[in-house]
Amino acid sequence: MVLRKMIVLSLLLSVYAFALVLRLPEFDRKNGIKEVFVHDHGDRIEYTIVFWDEDHPNALTDLLYDLYRFYKWGRFYDIETFFLYPDRIHFPDDFCDSETYFQLENLHNQAELALDQFEYFNSKPVVYVSTWNHMFSNKPLSGVSYLNYEVDSTTFGTRNDAERKYSWRKNVKLKLTLWLFFASLGPMLTTILLKNRSRVCVVFKGLTTVLIGTIAMLNAQGPEWLIFVGLIFSLMGDVFLEFNSFFVQGMLAFFTTHLLYTIAFLKLFGVSAWWIFALIYGIVLFQYVFLKNHLGKMRIPVLLYTVMIATMLSLSFAVLRHEIYYARTLIPTGATLFAFSDSYLAWDKFVKKLPLRNFMVLSTYFVGQLFIALSTVVI
């Protein structure tokens, strides 16, 4: 009997790559499932579920807890594991028959439940996510709407494979990315402090962009390589804009950066909602109306640049259509900061000198680029 059940289980795994159904409360979809690792141990199948994050009910505690998790386990992602046997499911320390999704006590429990204690959907047992930190249960919470687990692919691997992919403590590439992130902060601050005081700032400015670009180079796949190439053109623009005689060349370099980001966002996420385009184009072109009387022969180039910025910024919000937790924040925020930096620089150059020009332009530019580069880690 046990042998027959194992054969059936193996067939289910080969056909569906997923011999059970996971259900997550709809209201917590932002912390949804990023990837599932499946490994056949012969007598049991190991399921390792990677969630985007877990949010403690208290916002301050959640922030501190995220920092603690990132230090201790090297990730913001939440990873949980259980085992499917021919006649039962074993939860080593992640079972909770909770009364509410946000309970804080009695969370990590061990349990072995017979398969006949589970609901079934399409002939597969249903496992419910029962708490904010992704404990599991065989029962749904009362009055809660659930989402069935759906992803494009399932990865064959163990808990260790998941940790090696998502934890910087076990992933050399992620560890180097973290180092590059902190390394970029030094020359970034130096550039802001030395701007207009020493020509050596151009070296630190270029070094900052090189470090940010290396983050994108390490993590880019597919269309994300356009982000890396865009940062190369940004580096060219950084150098050109240090010399007044090369302002047009710098503008052309950054135009190319915006164009490459636009294509990357379009390929990765599709098109944003129409009202986002209407709102952003309205704001950006309204600004141009006030700028144009100060532009002289630069009217047409600045108009084209303005339209490109608006397009890039509009498409950056297309990520909101997708369940990509960190990128939903990083990309639109980064694009907005980048666009703000360009806008502040334009008003300072063509209309009148603005206060804190170096700080406002450089800080928003660098942080915006850093956020966009970091998005390649999580897409």
Side-chain angles (χ1 to χ4, degrees), residues 53-56 61-71 75-76 325:
D53 197 358
E54 59 181 43
D55 288 333
H56 191 281
T61 302
D62 180 60
L63 175 61
L64 297 175
Y65 185 46
D66 278 349
L67 294 175
Y68 169 76
R69 287 167 55 228
F70 190 71
Y71 169 76
R75 51 178 166 78
F76 293 117
Y325 189 20

Side-chain angles (χ1 to χ4, degrees), residues 28-81:
D28 199 34
R29 65 189 306 157
K30 69 180 185 301
N31 290 322
I33 297 168
K34 176 168 175 36
E35 191 170 10
V36 171
F37 287 76
V38 180
H39 183 75
D40 188 352
H41 289 277
D43 62 332
R44 67 197 185 282
I45 297 173
E46 174 185 333
Y47 285 94
T48 297
I49 319 299
V50 181
F51 298 89
W52 279 104
D53 197 358
E54 59 181 43
D55 288 333
H56 191 281
N58 180 280
L60 178 59
T61 302
D62 180 60
L63 175 61
L64 297 175
Y65 185 46
D66 278 349
L67 294 175
Y68 169 76
R69 287 167 55 228
F70 190 71
Y71 169 76
K72 183 173 183 178
W73 290 294
R75 51 178 166 78
F76 293 117
Y77 301 98
D78 180 32
I79 300 178
E80 306 292 345
T81 300

Side-chain angles (χ1 to χ4, degrees), residues 119-181:
E119 295 179 17
Y120 278 75
F121 179 81
N122 289 338
S123 300
K124 293 185 280 186
V126 177
V127 175
Y128 287 93
V129 177
S130 60
T131 64
W132 59 273
N133 65 335
H134 304 129
M135 299 295 97
F136 301 108
S137 176
N138 60 328
K139 302 173 184 176
L141 291 164
S142 177
V144 174
S145 296
Y146 287 89
L147 297 169
N148 278 3
Y149 163 74
E150 293 181 6
V151 292
D152 294 333
S153 61
T154 301
T155 304
F156 288 92
T158 65
R159 170 69 176 249
N160 286 334
D161 294 318
E163 293 285 0
R164 280 193 291 269
K165 181 173 181 177
Y166 289 104
S167 171
W168 63 262
R169 289 191 173 279
K170 298 187 177 183
N171 186 314
V172 174
K173 184 171 69 173
L174 291 180
K175 187 174 292 188
L176 182 56
T177 296
L178 185 64
W179 183 89
L180 288 166
F181 168 79

Side-chain angles (χ1 to χ4, degrees), residues 227-250:
I227 293 176
F228 168 66
V229 178
L231 284 161
I232 293 177
F233 279 93
S234 291
L235 176 60
M236 296 167 58
D238 288 339
V239 176
F240 284 138
L241 290 185
E242 289 298 312
F243 306 93
N244 289 331
S245 58
F246 289 100
F247 179 79
V248 173
Q249 289 87 340

Side-chain angles (χ1 to χ4, degrees), residues 20-32:
L20 49 79
V21 173
L22 284 171
R23 285 183 177 166
L24 178 78
E26 191 169 40
F27 57 75
D28 199 34
R29 65 189 306 157
K30 69 180 185 301
N31 290 322

Side-chain angles (χ1 to χ4, degrees), residues 297-337:
K297 63 181 181 180
M298 292 293 292
R299 280 189 178 186
I300 298 302
V302 172
L303 175 61
L304 294 174
Y305 192 88
T306 298
V307 171
M308 181 51 63
I309 290 177
T311 305
M312 183 277 294
L313 183 55
S314 298
L315 286 171
S316 73
F317 285 88
V319 70
L320 299 180
R321 293 177 175 268
H322 302 266
E323 299 301 322
I324 309 176
Y325 189 20
Y326 304 119
R328 284 167 61 90
T329 303
L330 289 171
I331 291 176
T333 302
T336 300
L337 289 172

